[in-house]
Amino acid sequence: MKNIFTAFLLFLSITLFAQENLEYQKPSKEILDLVDAPLAPTVLITDDGNHMVLLYRDYYKSIAELSETELRLAGLRINPKTNIGSRTNYYNNIKIKQIGENEAVQVVGLPVNPRLANFNWSPDETKIAVTNTTPEGVELWVLDIAAAKVTQLTNATINANMRDVVNWFKDGQSLLVKMLPEDRKPLINIAESVPQGPTISTNDGKKAQNRTYQDLLKNPNDEFNFEQLARSALYKVDLEGNISLWKSSDLYSEISFSPNGDYVMVVTIAKPFSYLVPYYRFPSATNIYNKDGSLVTTLLEVPLIEDLPKGFMAVRMGMRNVRWRYDQPASLVYVEALDGGDPQKDVDYRDEVFELKAPFKGKAKSILKTKNRFRYIQWGNDNLAIAHDRWWNNRNTKSYVFNPSDNTEEPILITDRNYQDAYSNPGDFVTKRNDYGQYVLALEGKSAYLLGDGYTEAGQFPFVDKMDFDNLKKTRLYTSQLEGKMESLLSYNSKKDELLVRIESANEYPNYYFKSLRKKKGPVQLTNFDNPFKSLQNVHKEVINYTREDGLELTGTLYLPVDYDKQLKEKKPMILWAYPREFKDKNSASQNTQNPNEFTHPFWGSPIYWVTKGYVVLDDAAFPIIGEGEEQPNDSFRTQLVANAKAAIDAVDQMGYIDIKKVAVGGHSYGAFMVANLLSHSNLFAAGIARSGAYNRTLTPFGFQSEERNYWEAPEVYYTMSPFMHADKMKTPLLLVHGEADNNSGTYPMQSERYFNALKGLGATVRLVMLPKESHGYRAKESILHLLWEQDQWLEKYVKQDTEIEIPESMGKD
């Protein structure tokens, strides 16, 4: 027996130590069964409520897919062989379900090995345009809803590298499509190219305080390749597959038709390109064309945007946010800053909204001024619209009802609230498609409807309100109070008395229903998706409430291990998973927005898998970081972080479920940053898991997360919050995981690499896993399975701490 035990130790030692050549691993069967569970389809419902389109896809990509050729240019990730985003999510099957029928109909005519994307409804919702990606490139297909059949319209000549790939003409018989230009030049092979000189950047003294963007252009070769890949020619393609040139090649970015279909707004990118910002801040021009392609006017020309004023609410000067007015045949609406785009200036109004009607050459009419930075308008009719603004610094948002036809009428303030205050959220106004096929307010005279999430101190109770704009009085029409279930209100048709809802419970998969508000009849079930995660069916789940040492009320969703006996209260190891969030007031920070009846869905990054391995899991534990008044949240970040963690552990410990010496903490992105800080500045945890984080804030010197002060304004904050600066304090085993192709601002792979080297040099117990080809969120099934295996091994070793097997101290320091 002793020899067998010694052999097992030797095998385990070799397995853990020889990581350089480790192939992809798979987790234990309990976890693997959950990963392999089938995914329910995405559901699209026509506005008339007669048909459902069910879109199926694989939940994961393969590492082979992620290994396809990829160029990272100007904030884009492109497959230059197929001319579509290299990280595009594809669907591989479509079914049509007629409402009232039991079974969905399989769509016929699908291509071999479908890779479907860019779904776009026709104006009358009888068809959907869709692209299919082949090894040779991207094709255009069209789905006929009634016939449940797809037809190919073009060969693999589509350029889907930029947005707005396919747009319908108003008649629904033709589409405006981006296609590869005939004069595209061969791309430069960067690996084989010979530099013609150095890459030089200059500045003429202007401040250009930009976030740490990734995938930027780096040299003239990148510029050339970006230009070739971004250039398209615009073609008109009819439903018979006939093709005609609409506009010759250019760097087309955004394309949108006027509501009546007579005009097309086209945004093109221009030079000079930038090495500091992504493509959407390059110079651009906005042109208006007739539907036949003839130029009406050049509306706007914007220079390169590298030097905005400091602050999250900073914007450029001049015309911006140009959009169509959805309730008019052909009117443009745009915004101009009244504060110079500088949030530091003290002004009465931040923005002014203008309307410019066809043919877009006269003087624009001012229709509204907003106190905060303008966000968007929900159009109703000639005399009624609702505008929304927001101001990040004090978390304030305002909504106004106003008359767009008469700017002498003072807008009426509907709401003036903290947008982080979930309990005061009035809900979202219901919209409907108008005669132009655009979504506008669903008005009944001068009344509209609101659908709200309904978070309260007592729980979540979604609601339907009716608002009368004459007196701003609200009438509550419906409050959801389903026992043991969670109901999400998706849309409401007052004329048909039809409420579209999604109902679920902790162990019942979400399904769709039609409900009546007025008629006393039960809901009509539209889908019947089964729970694919049977092993979690009876797991105990509850939202717990507890108090931080300063009196702040906190919450978390608690899961007990499979088959756990609550009467025996056997003490188990626990995983605490969280993500810090900044607040400007304690009231908002203490609110409960978790619902115990939400379906338990173990997505790839979830800690829920470990309830099958005997762990208690406290998921989405509240980790508010508060800075009221002039104080900023990050001024006391570490103190509040530790207080949050201690309160969570104490709460579950007092329930008698856990061994407080066997608690792990985990997080992703800013949650990983949280983990590293907690392990450095507390003794609360046995181990930690930190995925795709940033650990040295001096590498993000012009702000990060919700910190808008730069490093030179608050050096102590940057130093104090950086785990890298306190690597010598790390005494707890830490598993670091990072995608090698992380594209998130600030979370360079280098962040984990440098942090690992620091911890290793100081003798910490640490392991770094770099996942090939993965971005900020992980996609390949091989990567996900290996990630789960790594996390499982780490937890088994350092949290469960099996005392019968002594692993050498050097293990884990490789």
Side-chain angles (χ1 to χ4, degrees):
M1 184 68 182
K2 182 178 180 180
N3 290 337
I4 295 175
F5 178 70
T6 303
F8 174 74
L9 272 182
L10 180 60
F11 170 77
L12 184 62
S13 174
I14 293 172
T15 301
L16 289 174
F17 192 78
Q19 296 304 311
E20 291 80 0
N21 299 315
L22 185 66
E23 296 181 351
Y24 288 111
Q25 300 293 303
K26 294 182 179 180
S28 60
K29 186 177 185 303
E30 301 96 326
I31 296 175
L32 190 59
D33 287 346
L34 293 171
V35 176
D36 286 336
L39 185 69
T42 298
V43 178
L44 306 177
I45 301 179
T46 56
D47 282 338
D48 61 15
N50 293 331
H51 291 90
M52 302 177 68
V53 180
L54 307 179
L55 305 178
Y56 296 82
R57 68 179 179 91
D58 294 328
Y59 188 57
Y60 308 101
K61 289 182 176 288
S62 68
I63 196 63
E65 287 181 275
L66 290 190
S67 298
E68 293 175 357
T69 305
E70 179 180 75
L71 293 181
R72 304 169 190 170
L73 302 167
L76 296 172
R77 293 192 167 185
I78 295 169
N79 183 328
K81 293 184 177 180
T82 57
N83 291 292
I84 193 170
S86 53
R87 306 278 165 159
T88 301
N89 281 325
Y90 293 112
Y91 292 88
N92 55 24
N93 194 17
I94 308 175
K95 293 182 180 181
I96 305 293
K97 189 175 186 294
Q98 190 165 350
I99 302 300
E101 298 293 329
N102 292 326
E103 298 296 328
V105 176
Q106 173 63 52
V107 167
V108 298
L110 288 169
V112 178
N113 300 320
R115 299 176 79 185
L116 308 174
N118 295 301
F119 291 83
N120 194 329
W121 286 98
S122 65
D124 61 2
E125 289 196 322
T126 62
K127 298 177 180 63
I128 297 179
V130 58
T131 62
N132 177 55
T133 302
T134 73
E136 291 72 39
V138 180
E139 307 163 338
L140 177 63
W141 292 64
V142 66
L143 166 64
D144 187 307
I145 302 297
K149 179 182 179 180
V150 291
T151 305
Q152 184 176 353
L153 297 185
T154 74
N155 295 323
T157 55
I158 307 299
N159 187 348
N161 290 330
M162 302 281 280
R163 65 181 75 178
D164 294 336
V165 179
V166 178
N167 286 271
W168 285 91
F169 282 85
K170 183 64 177 178
D171 61 6
Q173 299 303 305
S174 301
L175 303 108
L176 187 59
V177 184
K178 290 183 178 180
M179 303 187 78
L180 301 175
E182 294 181 357
D183 60 350
R184 175 187 276 191
K185 299 175 183 177
L187 301 181
I188 295 173
N189 187 326
I190 302 296
E192 298 176 0
S193 64
V194 178
Q196 300 301 306
T199 299
I200 299 172
S201 300
T202 64
N203 187 52
D204 61 2
K206 291 183 179 179
K207 291 183 179 181
Q209 299 187 14
N210 295 300
R211 303 283 279 209
T212 48
Y213 297 110
Q214 300 200 43
D215 297 342
L216 298 178
L217 301 179
K218 298 178 180 65
N219 51 55
N221 289 340
D222 278 354
E223 291 189 61
F224 177 85
N225 285 345
F226 169 75
E227 183 175 7
Q228 297 309 309
L229 290 167
R231 290 172 71 250
S232 301
L234 299 180
Y235 282 83
K236 185 176 182 179
V237 181
D238 69 23
L239 297 182
E240 300 300 320
N242 298 309
I243 299 175
S244 59
L245 181 66
W246 194 81
K247 291 297 296 179
S248 57
S249 60
D250 207 334
L251 279 73
Y252 296 110
S253 175
E254 301 176 43
I255 299 173
S256 62
F257 279 83
S258 62
N260 66 359
D262 288 348
Y263 300 95
V264 188
M265 181 168 61
V266 178
V267 180
T268 54
I269 294 170
K271 294 181 178 179
F273 301 151
S274 172
Y275 296 173
L276 292 179
V277 293
Y279 78 92
Y280 49 82
R281 290 175 64 174
F282 291 178
S284 65
T286 301
N287 293 303
I288 308 296
Y289 297 93
N290 285 312
K291 62 183 177 182
D292 63 5
S294 58
L295 180 66
V296 175
T297 187
T298 296
L299 186 71
L300 172 64
E301 292 182 322
V302 180
L304 177 64
I305 309 170
E306 285 186 342
D307 54 354
L308 290 175
K310 187 173 70 73
F312 292 157
M313 303 309 296
V315 296
R316 63 174 176 80
M317 284 293 290
M319 185 186 300
R320 71 178 203 276
N321 289 29
V322 184
R323 297 290 183 268
W324 295 107
R325 180 173 164 178
Y326 295 148
D327 66 327
Q328 295 293 311
S331 287
L332 289 168
V333 177
Y334 63 88
V335 188
E336 289 192 8
L338 297 174
D339 58 4
D342 186 352
Q344 306 302 318
K345 290 184 178 180
D346 186 13
V347 295
D348 292 333
Y349 295 95
R350 292 288 174 184
D351 281 333
E352 187 169 10
V353 184
F354 295 87
E355 180 183 12
L356 183 62
K357 296 184 177 182
F360 319 110
K361 294 181 180 179
K363 184 178 180 180
K365 173 188 174 184
S366 173
I367 60 173
L368 179 71
K369 292 180 181 180
T370 60
K371 294 284 188 179
N372 295 325
R373 191 68 73 210
F374 172 83
R375 290 187 67 211
Y376 64 97
I377 290 175
Q378 293 177 285
W379 299 101
N381 54 39
D382 288 344
N383 303 310
L384 195 153
I386 298 172
H388 306 268
D389 67 20
R390 175 175 286 196
W391 198 248
W392 176 85
N393 303 73
N394 59 5
R395 311 305 195 263
N396 179 256
T397 183
K398 294 179 174 64
S399 297
Y400 318 80
V401 60
F402 71 103
N403 184 347
S405 297
D406 187 355
N407 61 5
T408 64
E409 290 187 19
E410 192 71 20
I412 300 173
L413 192 65
I414 300 176
T415 60
D416 185 358
R417 52 181 289 272
N418 182 330
Y419 60 74
Q420 290 184 315
D421 181 359
Y423 292 174
S424 71
N425 192 330
D428 298 317
F429 284 99
V430 175
T431 60
K432 65 177 181 179
R433 278 165 60 97
N434 62 11
D435 293 340
Y436 299 120
Q438 307 294 324
Y439 285 95
V440 297
L441 291 169
L443 295 173
E444 283 190 3
K446 294 194 70 175
S447 295
Y449 297 91
L450 289 145
L451 303 182
D453 290 330
Y455 292 112
T456 72
E457 291 184 3
Q460 185 181 6
F461 307 97
F463 61 83
V464 181
D465 279 350
K466 185 175 183 179
M467 173 179 275
D468 185 338
F469 290 117
D470 279 330
N471 53 24
L472 300 187
K473 180 181 178 181
K474 291 181 185 178
T475 303
R476 182 62 48 93
L477 303 181
Y478 175 76
T479 302
S480 176
Q481 293 181 320
L482 299 181
E483 188 70 28
K485 295 182 184 295
M486 175 178 172
E487 184 175 37
S488 303
L489 312 185
L490 306 179
S491 66
Y492 178 57
N493 186 326
S494 61
K495 291 185 178 179
K496 298 173 70 173
D497 186 32
E498 197 170 75
L499 186 65
L500 176 64
V501 303
R502 187 175 61 241
I503 299 175
E504 61 196 275
S505 73
N507 55 21
E508 293 177 1
Y509 200 89
N511 277 288
Y512 293 79
Y513 299 79
F514 278 143
K515 294 184 72 171
S516 170
L517 298 189
R518 303 183 184 96
K519 299 176 183 177
K520 300 297 183 181
K521 62 179 183 179
V524 177
Q525 188 164 353
L526 306 179
T527 62
N528 191 26
F529 304 134
D530 194 20
N531 182 359
F533 308 111
K534 298 295 185 184
S535 62
L536 302 179
Q537 185 106 354
N538 298 314
V539 166
H540 175 80
K541 176 182 181 179
E542 65 175 306
V543 174
I544 63 171
N545 298 277
Y546 50 97
T547 305
R548 202 167 75 175
E549 61 185 4
D550 60 357
L552 189 70
E553 294 294 323
L554 302 176
T555 60
T557 302
L558 181 69
Y559 300 83
L560 299 182
V562 172
D563 299 326
Y564 184 82
D565 190 331
K566 292 179 66 178
Q567 301 302 317
L568 293 178
K569 289 192 175 181
E570 181 183 358
K571 293 187 179 296
K572 294 287 188 177
M574 184 177 84
I575 304 169
L576 186 157
W577 206 270
Y579 188 94
R581 289 178 171 83
E582 298 87 345
F583 294 85
K584 288 298 291 178
D585 72 297
K586 292 181 179 179
N587 176 61
S588 300
S590 66
Q591 293 179 355
N592 176 20
T593 57
Q594 300 180 54
N595 192 323
N597 300 313
E598 184 177 6
F599 179 70
T600 304
H601 189 295
F603 73 100
W604 67 266
S606 170
I608 307 302
Y609 297 100
W610 280 273
V611 297
T612 66
K613 303 295 295 288
Y615 291 81
V616 172
V617 173
L618 185 62
D619 193 22
D620 199 18
F623 264 67
I625 309 297
I626 306 165
E628 294 189 303
E630 295 300 316
E631 182 183 0
Q632 295 301 314
N634 288 339
D635 293 344
S636 55
F637 178 84
R638 280 180 9 195
T639 301
Q640 295 191 61
L641 208 64
V642 174
N644 291 329
K646 186 176 186 305
I649 294 171
D650 287 348
V652 185
D653 179 43
Q654 289 169 13
M655 299 172 80
Y657 297 142
I658 63 170
D659 180 344
I660 60 170
K661 295 181 179 179
K662 297 184 177 183
V663 178
V665 62
H668 189 91
S669 192
Y670 207 56
F673 177 69
M674 171 201 74
V675 168
N677 269 298
L678 284 171
L679 298 191
S680 299
H681 304 293
S682 77
N683 295 310
L684 298 171
F685 300 98
I689 299 171
R691 301 192 313 235
S692 297
Y695 308 102
N696 183 348
R697 283 305 168 193
T698 67
L699 299 178
T700 55
F702 292 109
F704 58 90
Q705 202 70 5
S706 291
E707 178 58 68
E708 66 175 359
R709 294 171 295 185
N710 66 40
Y711 169 77
W712 295 272
E713 292 174 316
E716 286 303 314
V717 170
Y718 279 69
Y719 177 84
T720 302
M721 290 180 66
S722 294
F724 181 88
M725 306 302 181
H726 307 280
D728 58 324
K729 298 183 176 69
M730 179 63 70
K731 307 301 180 186
T732 308
L734 174 62
L735 173 63
L736 293 168
V737 184
H738 215 118
E740 286 185 349
D742 195 326
N743 68 337
N744 184 56
S745 176
T747 54
Y748 296 104
M750 177 180 67
Q751 288 272 8
S752 286
E753 293 167 345
R754 294 292 183 266
Y755 188 40
F756 170 77
N757 287 337
L759 292 172
K760 179 179 179 181
L762 293 167
T765 300
V766 61
R767 179 180 176 88
L768 173 63
V769 179
M770 301 298 294
L771 297 174
K773 310 295 182 179
E774 293 293 351
S775 187
H776 193 59
Y778 314 146
R779 306 285 293 280
K781 188 171 185 179
E782 294 90 337
S783 301
I784 303 303
L785 295 178
H786 187 85
L787 168 72
L788 295 172
W789 178 82
E790 289 279 2
Q791 294 178 156
D792 193 41
Q793 297 295 309
W794 198 255
L795 293 168
E796 292 291 299
K797 178 179 178 182
Y798 291 111
V799 181
K800 279 194 173 178
Q801 303 168 354
D802 192 337
T803 55
E804 294 183 5
I805 300 178
E806 183 178 350
I807 299 176
E809 188 68 27
S810 61
M811 296 302 98
K813 294 185 180 181
D814 43 58

